[in-house]
Amino acid sequence: MTGLLFQAFVYLCAAVIAVPIAKRLGLGSVLGYLIAGIVIGPALGLVGDTESIQHIAEFGVVMMLFLVGLELEPRTLWTMRNRLLGLGGLQVGLTTVLVMAGGMAFGLSWTVALAIGLVFSLSSTAIVLQTLNEKGLMKSDGGQSSFSVLLFQDIAVIPMLALIPLLALPELAHHGAETHGHGGHGAELSLIEGLSGWQVAIVNVAAIAAVIAGGHYLSRPLFRFIASAKLREIFTAAALLLVVAIAFLMTLVGLSPALGTFLAGVVLANSEFRHELESDIEPFKGLLLGLFFITVGAGINFALLSENALLVIGLTIGLMALKAAVLLALSFMFRLRGADQWLLVLSLAQAGEFGFVLLSFSVQNSVIPADLSDLLLLVVALSMLLTPALFIFFDKVVLPRLDKEQGRAADDIDEKGAAIICGIGRFGQVINRVLKGNGYKTVVLDLSADMVDGFNRFGIRTFYGDASRPDLLHSAGLEEAGLLVVAIDDMDRAVEIVKHARRERPDLHIVARARDRHYVYELYKAGADDIVRETFDSAVRAARYSLEAFGVHPHEVEKLITVFVERDRDGIRRLARLFDPDVPVFENEPYMKLAREIEKETEDALSDNPSVHDRVKRAWLPPGSKPDDE
Amino acid sequence: MTQQGRKILVLFAHPGQRYSRANAELAQVARRTPGVTFVDLYAEYPRFKINVELEQQRLLDHDVIVFQFPLFWYSTPALLKEWQDLVLEYGFAYGEGGVMIAGKLFVPVVTTGGPEDFYRVGARNNFPLRDLLAPIEQTANLCGLRFVPPYTLYAALRAAGSERLATHVEGYGRFLQALRDDRLDLDAADGLPVLTADTLPIIEEAQS
């Protein structure tokens, strides 16, 4: 018991200390976990047996794949089909073939080389998705391309798992039992003990079919029954049970649990329980994934590494260079440019956690000898360890250099407009149309390459780029602009843009879109002149219709609404001055006090208190009468 | 009753309907009278965004144009002034080619806060009501409309609930019907400064 608590203490402690520090230093959480792992593992020796914990932690990957599957409605898949199949397929295919060729050049037999090729063709979904999300790059063109490739890889694991048993080396086959337990999922129970390669393949297909059929026909009535109990923790338990059960089944038949749960996720993507399942599994996934990264760091065999330092490092660098080269070639084929191209190339150059899975699977199936596998495991781990460094390289070196070269990352902006509009979504479009329609020049910036392409084709000059990057704002003509409109979704970025623009141009008029009150205050503090709550005016219109529906005279409604809007805006203006971004609203005493006062004023105004000369009631009052005297 | 008579457009302008007594009752009558198109301008354009094309079409579609309003500062309420400024365009209502509404009847239906004896030279309002309405009378003239003296209720604020208001409201109904059926003696009306319920020059139909 104390041993378990001690282990938990060490792991949690490492994570809690290392991850925030790493984030603050701009290294990202993944590197933080990895470093935490190295510190408690090889460095301090606080944890010995990382393998058993890694099995538990790999469940984070399993859960992540389940979640990825849940996000993957067939329709989404369809819109991504070109990149998914083209980019992803070519990446996996080319990398496998090239690694295989390299392996055979080193004198390995073709079956071993092919297995290694398959292992190394995969990248780390865990690291890359986590990092892309963290950096807000998921929606960029490069991020989408990376995601497509990762998704294809995740799917490609299925045929790989089916293929690998067929590559079994006869001379290793009888050693299979000894090499068991080598980081693999080969549990004590197995349904495929003593079956030939072909029979295993058949059992595998049957298991997958069972998951799909079960997910499709059984899950709904089952979840409905469980949900009817209205006990949240039981639903959470059921969600976990689902994932665990599928993982168990996959383990029994010797398949990757990640694959099974991914399939289950896809099957359930259209289910009405999807969001519930997502939010239930998400925290487990986050923790386990963190644990997984720690074990990757902790599991690095430094003894083996130092013995073969040159070989392992050489292999790692060679592998990453080769993967990057393949990605670079593909990026030209798929017309990715600038930052997107670099993002794709740098983010996917590592080998991934599926590599661990495939390697141990290969060892179990007597495809790769165990000692070779140990070396390869090091290569995989090392390449994963280097990936956050590549992201930092992307941030600190690639982006600034691209900008120096007059923004190859962003479009080359040749127009200095009277108005800079950041974001050409539903919101920015309206502003742009009105300004253009009245003869004002605009420079439109947007982060979505699809939008930019579409609008350019539509005849609206639009430039691709992240407006929260100062240099892009400058090349868009911030120095000469007469107006800045910040109409992007991402509120934190919007605040950054306003802050920067205000610093550079104290005289510039800035119109900003705010999601809610909180961001009104933030944008006010940042220095925006006009702040528009994105749903306020439409809500006011809906309120107007509602009053009219009750038969209130439209002109009367207009007066009531006008007063309401003025009061609301006045209140928000007064509260904005007291808002402090560093103090939670409910702990901000002056703010709360004023908020209560305003509440009271509004109540008074709406009550029949005759001392309040409400504008609505005073309007067109006949001479000599009092408001509302009957 | 025949529906073949004149078509009447009542343009009602009252921003303070919350407090209206007299005009609210008059509006009820106009709404209920067959052959009358009743338009509450403040309901249709609470934000003063007048649809000029629609309003011009309405003028073309009717033979009698009624402005029904309370007198505010010796003039129409603001929206009715806005309506005049926008709808009676050059080239449509006056000026070159502006003959589109010429020949129609134009009738103000007015309520005032002050009593009749305020509207006299030397009295509190210093002008007869008819003189104060000179701007809209001349507007009608310039547009080629035949101006009918205003159907008037003085001291409307004190009329609520009174016999006087009932008479006036009932008279409004008869007035609109007479206009519709061409039974108003227009020449006789011209001789009067204002029309009231008991001075309406209605030709009683020969009971043929």
Side-chain angles (χ1 to χ4, degrees), chain A residues 82-126:
Chain A
N82 285 337
R83 275 186 190 165
L84 191 67
L85 294 179
L87 194 57
L90 284 171
Q91 188 271 337
V92 171
L94 281 177
T95 311
T96 305
V97 168
L98 288 175
V99 171
M100 183 180 168
M104 286 168 76
F106 272 99
L108 297 171
S109 78
W110 72 270
T111 52
V112 176
L114 175 58
I116 295 173
L118 292 175
V119 167
F120 282 167
S121 70
L122 303 174
S123 307
S124 173
T125 307

Side-chain angles (χ1 to χ4, degrees), chain B residues 2-9 34-36 61-64 103-105 176-184 186:
Chain B
T2 171
Q3 290 293 341
Q4 294 301 95
R6 295 198 190 102
K7 281 183 271 178
I8 302 176
L9 175 66
V36 170
D61 292 344
H62 294 83
D63 309 303
V64 181
K104 298 177 191 288
L105 293 186
L176 289 173
Q177 285 167 25
L179 281 166
R180 180 193 64 201
D181 303 337
D182 197 11
R183 285 186 289 105
L184 191 78
L186 292 175

Side-chain angles (χ1 to χ4, degrees), chain B:
Chain B
M1 277 304 283
T2 171
Q3 290 293 341
Q4 294 301 95
R6 295 198 190 102
K7 281 183 271 178
I8 302 176
L9 175 66
V10 174
L11 296 169
F12 172 55
H14 196 320
Q17 291 180 40
R18 171 195 280 262
Y19 299 113
S20 170
R21 298 290 176 274
N23 263 296
E25 288 189 32
L26 291 170
Q28 278 306 320
V29 170
R31 260 186 245 266
R32 281 198 223 107
T33 305
V36 170
T37 306
F38 182 87
V39 175
D40 181 349
L41 285 176
Y42 274 96
E44 245 176 82
Y45 307 115
R47 285 172 291 288
F48 276 54
K49 286 165 191 152
I50 291 171
N51 183 339
V52 175
E53 286 73 22
L54 171 69
E55 292 304 318
Q56 289 181 345
Q57 190 57 48
R58 277 179 172 155
L59 291 180
L60 296 175
D61 292 344
H62 294 83
D63 309 303
V64 181
I65 297 146
V66 176
F67 275 13
Q68 184 193 326
F69 61 94
L71 195 70
F72 282 4
W73 285 112
Y74 313 112
S75 182
T76 61
L79 180 57
L80 191 51
K81 180 64 168 63
E82 180 88 348
W83 184 96
Q84 296 168 53
D85 297 349
L86 292 173
V87 179
L88 302 177
E89 272 180 316
Y90 180 90
F92 172 78
Y94 74 104
E96 205 178 314
V99 293
M100 306 298 284
I101 57 172
K104 298 177 191 288
L105 293 186
F106 178 79
V107 192
V109 173
V110 185
T111 60
T112 73
E116 184 171 8
D117 51 14
F118 280 16
Y119 290 89
R120 284 187 192 140
V121 177
R124 198 159 160 171
N125 286 329
N126 209 25
F127 291 92
L129 178 64
R130 180 70 181 265
D131 291 5
L132 291 170
L133 294 179
I136 58 170
E137 181 167 350
Q138 179 50 26
T139 300
N141 288 339
L142 191 63
C143 296
L145 299 165
R146 174 144 191 192
F147 186 79
V148 176
Y151 181 67
T152 306
L153 176 66
Y154 289 110
L157 296 174
R158 276 183 269 139
S162 71
E163 189 68 24
R164 197 161 61 85
L165 178 58
T167 311
H168 186 75
V169 169
E170 178 270 337
Y172 188 35
R174 283 190 290 123
F175 183 43
L176 289 173
Q177 285 167 25
L179 281 166
R180 180 193 64 201
D181 303 337
D182 197 11
R183 285 186 289 105
L184 191 78
D185 186 337
L186 292 175
D187 295 328
D190 278 344
L192 299 166
V194 299
L195 303 178
T196 56
D198 24 83
T199 61
L200 284 171
I202 293 174
I203 307 161
E204 290 309 329
E205 217 159 0
Q207 310 283 331
S208 53

Side-chain angles (χ1 to χ4, degrees), chain A residues 306-501:
Chain A
S306 56
E307 276 170 41
N308 304 284
L310 279 180
L311 178 64
V312 172
I313 291 171
L315 280 177
T316 307
I317 289 172
L319 169 70
M320 292 179 83
L322 182 132
K323 292 192 77 167
V326 169
L327 289 163
L328 189 66
L330 291 177
S331 70
F332 281 112
M333 252 177 85
F334 284 81
R335 297 209 197 93
L336 287 168
R337 288 181 306 152
D340 290 321
Q341 183 177 30
W342 281 101
L343 184 62
L344 178 75
V345 169
L346 292 177
S347 69
L348 297 178
Q350 80 293 103
E353 59 278 351
F354 273 122
F356 294 130
V357 176
L358 284 188
L359 273 175
S360 51
F361 185 70
S362 303
V363 172
Q364 285 162 50
N365 283 285
S366 319
V367 178
I368 297 177
D371 48 349
L372 179 58
S373 160
D374 284 346
L375 267 184
L376 298 178
L377 275 172
L378 269 181
V379 173
V380 173
L382 209 57
S383 72
M384 285 167 80
L385 191 62
L386 286 175
T387 300
L390 288 185
F391 273 113
I392 293 167
F393 178 75
F394 175 77
D395 266 356
K396 302 269 140 86
V397 180
V398 175
L399 284 182
R401 269 203 45 209
L402 284 172
D403 296 341
K404 233 173 250 164
E405 293 166 18
Q406 240 308 303
R408 292 209 36 157
D411 283 349
D412 198 7
I413 298 166
D414 47 11
E415 286 177 29
K416 311 267 184 199
I420 301 174
I421 300 178
C422 308
I424 187 75
R426 292 165 303 165
F427 203 92
Q429 277 170 36
V430 175
I431 303 155
N432 188 48
R433 276 168 61 194
V434 170
L435 288 177
K436 295 279 276 194
N438 289 285
Y440 292 97
K441 274 177 88 181
T442 61
V443 175
V444 179
L445 306 174
D446 202 283
L447 191 52
S448 155
D450 288 345
M451 281 290 224
V452 172
D453 278 358
F455 277 100
N456 279 326
R457 221 170 297 148
F458 194 66
I460 294 172
R461 274 304 261 146
T462 308
F463 300 95
Y464 172 73
D466 178 357
S468 65
R469 279 186 17 236
D471 41 293
L472 189 75
L473 272 182
H474 287 285
S475 55
L478 184 62
E479 281 82 2
E480 308 88 26
L483 172 70
L484 173 68
V485 180
V486 182
I488 58 171
D489 267 336
D490 186 331
M491 278 296 123
D492 295 319
R493 272 170 200 240
V495 173
E496 283 313 306
I497 294 173
V498 173
K499 270 188 195 154
H500 177 75

